[in-house]
Amino acid sequence: MTPSLSFKKRGITLSGLSVELQGKRILDDVDLEIFPGEIIALLGPSGCGKTTMLRAIAGLQRPSAGEIVVGGQAMTDVAPYRRNVGMVFQSYALFPHMTVAENIVFGLKMHGVAPAERAVVLDAALTMLELSALRDAYPARLSGGQQQRVAIARSIATQPSVLLLDEPLSALDKKLKDDMRSELRTLLKKVGMTAIIVTHDQEEALAIADRVAVMNEGRIVQIGTGGDLYHNPNCRFVADFVGYMNYFEGSIRSGSDQRLELDIGDARLLKARSSAETPATGHVTVAIRPEAITPMPKSAPVDQDEFNIVPACLISEEFLGIVTYLRFQDGKGRDLLVIRSGQSRASPLRVGEHYDLAWPIDVTTLMPAEPQAA
Amino acid sequence: MSKSSGFSVLQALTFAVLLFMALPNLIILAVSFNPEATLAFPPTGISLDWYLNVFRTPSFAAGLQQSVFLASISSAVSLVFGVLAALAIVRFRFFGRQAINALVMAPLFVPEVVMGIAMLLWANAVTAISNTTTLVILHCLIVLPYVVRLVVANLQGIDPNLESAAMLLGARPMQAFLRITMPIIGKGLLGAAVFAVVMSFHNFTATMFLVGSRPTLPVAAYQYIRTENDPTVAALSTMMMLAGILAVYLMERWIGLERLVR
C-alpha cells in the first residue's frame, strides 16, 4: 500500500444513544462497541433507525441522549467538520461541478493540505480505486460503479478515523452489486479502517461485515458474526431476516443439564440441548433451518437420541437448480420447508407421500415465545 | 425524412399560430420604418429617421437611465433576499414556513393596478420616503416572487447530502454553501437575475402610479405617444424587442431556458 494513505484504526463506542424526531423515538437507547479495524453492518428493514445511527455518528443528526466516543474521544458535541469521519452516501453525493480529481482532493483542501501533498494523496487514491483514467471526468459521465469508487476515494482521501457507508450498493444493478460486495470488503480490509455499513440486504451484510447488528424499531436486536446470527438467532425477527426458518410453538416439559424435552402438541416431543440462554420452563419457540432437515422414508431407522422426528406429508416440490424447495405439512397442519441441495443424490420423493422429517437435536434452536401477531 | 414533402396540416396550423402571435410585433417593426410622421400601416416607404429621433428625444435617454437604475437595484436586492427566502423555504421546516412562502408569492396574484395604488397611498402616508425609494421598493416586490420561484426550483434540484458530504470533508457550513451549493445554482441565479431585470424594465402598470419627475422608459414612451403621433415609439419598441430577443438568445446559449421555465 502507498505510504501516503495510512489509517489509524479507531474503535467506536455508543452508549445509551437515542434520537428523537418530532416526538418519535427513531433510535432507542443503543449500546454498541465496535473494535478498531472492524467492519460492522447495521442490518434492518427501512425505518429501523440504521441510517439515523450512521448520521448521528457522522454528526449530521443530533442525539437526544447518549454518548458517541471515537478512538477514546467524546464526539457527541463535536461539529461534523471536525469529526474526521468519512461517509459514502447512498446517492454518493458527488459534487457535480467538480471533476473526479477535484472531488477527491476537496477534503484535503478543506483541511489545508499543501498542493504538493494533495497531488501525492490523489495519485494514491486514484491508483487504489482504479480511477486514474477518469481523473478529469465529471460525475455525470460516470457509471454507477465508477461513481461509487469516486465516493469511496473522496471519503478516504482525508484518512478519516472511521468510514461510514449508507447503502453503498443499493444504486447498482444486481450483477454489479454481487461483484462489488466482495470487492468492497477486500478494499476495506486492505485499507484497514474501522467501517460501519448500513444495509437492508442480509447477503450484503453477511458478505461484507465482520459482525452484523440486526436492528428493529430503533434497537439492536442481536449482534454477532454471520454464523452466530444464522445458527443461533435469539428471536424470530433475526431468524427471518437472515434466511428461512421453520418454527414450532411449544413448552418445556422437562429439563436436565444437557437436554430439554419440549411439548409441541399432538402428543409429540422434541429434544434440544439446553444452554445458558434457554429458559428453564414455560413457552418457547423451536426453530429449525430448512437445510438441516432430512426427509426419511417412514420405515428407515433413526437414532431417536440424536435426532428429532416429525412425520409430514410432501405437498409440493420446486426444483430451482442449486437447491430444491420441498414443502411439507404435518398432522397439525403446520407448514415445514425443507431445502435440499440440487446435487443431492438422495432418492427422489413423491408428492402426497408421508415421510419422517429428521434433524439433529444439536441444530434445534430455542428462543423465547413471542406473542403471535394477530 | 420519409414524410410527405409539403406542409402537413399540423405544420400549417403551428405556423399560423406563430404568425398570429408575432404579427402585432411585425406590424410595429414595419411602422417604425415609415417615412411619414404617422403611426400608420402599411408604411409608404423606408426610412431610419425615427430611429435617429429616439436618440434625439431627451425624455427617452432619461427614461432609459431611470429604468436601468431601477432594474439593477431591484434585481440585486431581490436576488439577495430571494436566495435567503428560498433557502429558508427549501431547507428548513419551521412554523410559518407556508405563510412566508405565500407572502413572498402574493404579488403574483395581486393586480398590478392594486399594487400601484396601494404603494401610492402608502408613500403619501409615509411622507419621509422619496419617490425613487418607493419605486425601488415596488420593483423589488414585483420581481421577488419570480426570483424566489426560480431559486427554489434550482435548490430543490440539489441533493441535500452534497453539503453534508462537504462538511464531513472538513468544510464549515458557510464554506459548504459557497463552494458547493452556490456554484451549482450559479447559472440558475444568473437566469433569475436576467429575468428580474427584464421584469423590472418592462413594468408599466404599477410603475405608472408612482412615477414623479423621472419616468421610466415604458412610461416615457406612453407619455410621448399621448402628444405625438409619429413612429418614434414604434422605433423605440423595435429596439426594445431586439434587446429582449438578444437577452433570450444569450440566456439560451449560456444557461439553457429550461432552467427558467421549470
Side-chain angles (χ1 to χ4, degrees):
Chain A
M1 199 174 81
T2 331
S4 54
L5 273 183
S6 61
F7 297 89
K8 295 195 181 79
K9 296 182 180 184
R10 293 211 161 87
I12 303 172
T13 308
L14 309 180
S15 40
L17 194 67
S18 296
V19 171
E20 271 179 44
L21 283 175
Q22 278 130 27
K24 257 185 73 182
R25 281 225 145 176
I26 309 294
L27 212 55
D28 194 3
D29 199 19
V30 169
D31 295 311
L32 179 61
E33 178 82 45
I34 301 170
F35 306 114
E38 192 180 26
I39 306 175
I40 286 271
L42 304 179
L43 174 67
S46 58
C48 72
K50 54 193 195 299
T51 296
T52 304
M53 187 152 130
L54 211 62
R55 294 179 67 86
I57 296 169
L60 299 172
Q61 178 63 58
R62 178 167 281 278
S64 48
E67 286 290 324
I68 300 165
V69 176
V70 178
Q73 282 179 300
M75 284 290 170
T76 319
D77 296 316
V78 176
Y81 50 87
R82 288 190 206 280
R83 286 197 188 197
N84 199 19
V85 162
M87 183 154 171
V88 175
F89 289 83
Q90 188 171 4
S91 60
Y92 304 140
L94 299 179
F95 307 135
H97 58 301
M98 297 185 192
T99 62
V100 168
E102 287 166 345
N103 264 280
I104 294 173
V105 299
F106 181 84
L108 300 171
K109 268 190 201 167
M110 291 297 107
H111 282 98
V113 175
E117 197 180 328
R118 291 205 298 250
V120 175
V121 176
L122 173 64
D123 281 338
L126 287 171
T127 309
M128 182 180 256
L129 287 139
E130 292 163 30
L131 288 165
S132 300
L134 298 168
R135 61 182 296 154
D136 296 319
Y138 283 90
R141 306 227 5 227
L142 304 180
S143 71
Q146 291 166 340
Q147 288 186 20
Q148 190 207 36
R149 297 215 301 276
V150 177
I152 293 173
R154 184 179 67 178
S155 63
I156 64 176
T158 51
Q159 296 161 42
S161 49
V162 174
L163 187 63
L164 310 174
L165 302 109
D166 188 6
E167 303 267 6
L169 303 181
S170 68
L172 308 178
D173 57 42
K174 175 84 178 86
K175 176 82 180 68
L176 193 57
K177 198 182 266 191
D178 293 349
D179 292 346
M180 282 307 288
R181 224 157 48 194
S182 59
E183 216 170 285
L184 190 58
R185 180 176 166 87
T186 310
L187 177 80
L188 289 174
K189 282 298 167 191
K190 190 162 83 178
V191 173
M193 63 200 311
T194 313
I196 306 178
I197 171 168
V198 155
T199 177
H200 64 271
D201 181 334
Q202 49 119 346
E203 287 183 13
E204 205 171 296
L206 298 181
I208 297 174
D210 297 319
R211 281 194 300 159
V212 176
V214 181
M215 294 186 66
N216 190 29
E217 291 174 351
R219 290 168 175 272
I220 293 178
V221 187
Q222 189 175 2
I223 181 163
T225 64
D228 291 343
L229 298 178
Y230 192 80
H231 297 297
N232 298 304
N234 66 5
C235 64
R236 273 192 169 207
F237 183 81
V238 174
D240 289 337
F241 220 92
V242 286
Y244 293 102
M245 192 64 113
N246 291 301
Y247 299 103
F248 294 97
E249 295 301 325
S251 54
I252 296 176
R253 224 174 67 135
S254 66
S256 68
D257 293 347
Q258 287 294 306
R259 199 159 269 210
L260 295 168
E261 277 198 330
L262 310 151
D263 186 350
I264 57 163
D266 199 21
R268 193 153 297 282
L269 294 179
L270 293 181
K271 294 179 280 300
R273 293 228 187 274
S274 64
S275 74
E277 293 113 61
T278 48
T281 53
H283 290 280
V284 288
T285 297
V286 186
I288 309 100
R289 290 288 179 196
E291 67 277 16
I293 303 176
T294 313
M296 319 274 278
K298 290 293 277 184
S299 54
V302 179
D303 183 352
Q304 302 268 345
D305 263 2
E306 295 298 326
F307 288 86
N308 281 311
I309 292 171
V310 169
C313 177
L314 180 60
I315 304 295
S316 70
E317 184 176 10
E318 283 171 62
F319 178 70
L320 299 177
I322 303 175
V323 292
T324 302
Y325 282 23
L326 302 164
R327 294 178 200 281
F328 289 87
Q329 201 166 54
D330 79 348
K332 283 197 81 183
R334 288 177 289 225
D335 293 314
L336 289 156
L337 176 67
V338 174
I339 298 179
R340 241 191 188 187
S341 161
Q343 291 292 312
S344 173
R345 295 264 178 267
S347 51
L349 305 180
R350 293 234 298 280
V351 172
E353 291 279 302
H354 287 263
Y355 296 90
D356 278 341
L357 301 184
W359 66 90
I361 62 168
D362 288 353
V363 300
T364 308
T365 308
L366 294 186
M367 47 185 77
E370 286 167 40
Q372 289 273 318
Chain B
M1 292 290 145
S2 56
K3 289 277 174 71
S4 64
S5 54
F7 275 123
S8 71
V9 177
L10 183 64
Q11 280 170 324
L13 263 175
T14 309
F15 186 72
V17 170
L18 285 176
L19 191 68
F20 177 75
M21 286 167 67
L23 208 54
N25 297 330
L26 293 178
I27 288 178
I28 287 275
L29 180 71
V31 168
S32 71
F33 295 114
N34 195 356
E36 288 174 53
T38 52
L39 270 171
F41 183 83
T44 54
I46 287 189
S47 147
L48 288 174
D49 288 354
W50 308 114
Y51 285 86
L52 286 174
N53 199 39
V54 169
F55 295 101
R56 286 197 210 101
T57 311
S59 72
F60 289 163
L64 178 67
Q65 207 184 352
Q66 175 76 334
S67 281
V68 167
F69 167 78
L70 270 180
S72 31
I73 296 280
S74 62
S75 56
V77 170
S78 61
L79 211 57
V80 171
F81 285 100
V83 168
L84 294 176
L87 273 175
I89 290 166
V90 174
R91 293 283 174 84
F92 303 103
R93 295 285 169 272
F94 54 91
F95 180 76
R97 176 174 157 271
Q98 288 298 335
I100 286 181
N101 196 12
L103 256 174
V104 168
M105 292 302 157
L108 275 184
F109 306 103
V110 177
E112 284 201 14
V113 178
V114 177
M115 271 183 76
I117 295 173
M119 282 299 288
L120 183 64
L121 291 174
W122 178 76
N124 284 341
V126 189
T127 44
I129 202 161
S130 80
N131 179 254
T132 308
T133 314
T134 327
L135 267 178
V136 168
I137 294 172
L138 174 74
H139 277 230
C140 285
L141 288 179
I142 289 169
V143 160
L144 194 63
Y146 297 98
V147 173
V148 170
R149 197 71 217 101
L150 283 173
V151 180
V152 162
N154 273 279
L155 281 176
Q156 276 169 343
I158 296 185
D159 180 356
N161 281 330
L162 288 183
E163 278 190 26
S164 298
M167 280 194 270
L168 288 177
L169 290 167
R172 276 133 210 284
M174 199 59 187
Q175 280 178 307
F177 177 73
L178 292 178
R179 284 175 173 268
I180 306 299
T181 305
M182 278 303 271
I184 296 173
I185 65 168
K187 281 186 167 184
L189 289 186
L190 187 64
V194 172
F195 208 75
V197 166
V198 171
M199 291 304 294
S200 161
F201 199 92
H202 284 179
N203 187 270
F204 174 75
T205 315
T207 309
M208 185 67 190
F209 286 90
L210 290 173
V211 286
S213 52
R214 304 204 55 193
T216 61
L217 192 55
V219 174
Y222 173 72
Q223 287 171 347
Y224 184 90
I225 211 171
R226 274 171 37 158
T227 54
E228 311 292 330
N229 194 30
D230 63 47
T232 309
V233 170
L236 176 66
S237 305
T238 303
M239 288 194 286
M240 286 170 77
M241 267 193 292
L242 283 178
I245 289 169
L246 188 69
V248 169
Y249 172 74
L250 290 179
M251 279 212 291
E252 171 63 38
R253 279 289 300 275
W254 292 341
I255 307 168
L257 276 181
E258 75 278 10
R259 274 177 187 272
L260 296 180
V261 291
R262 257 204 287 228

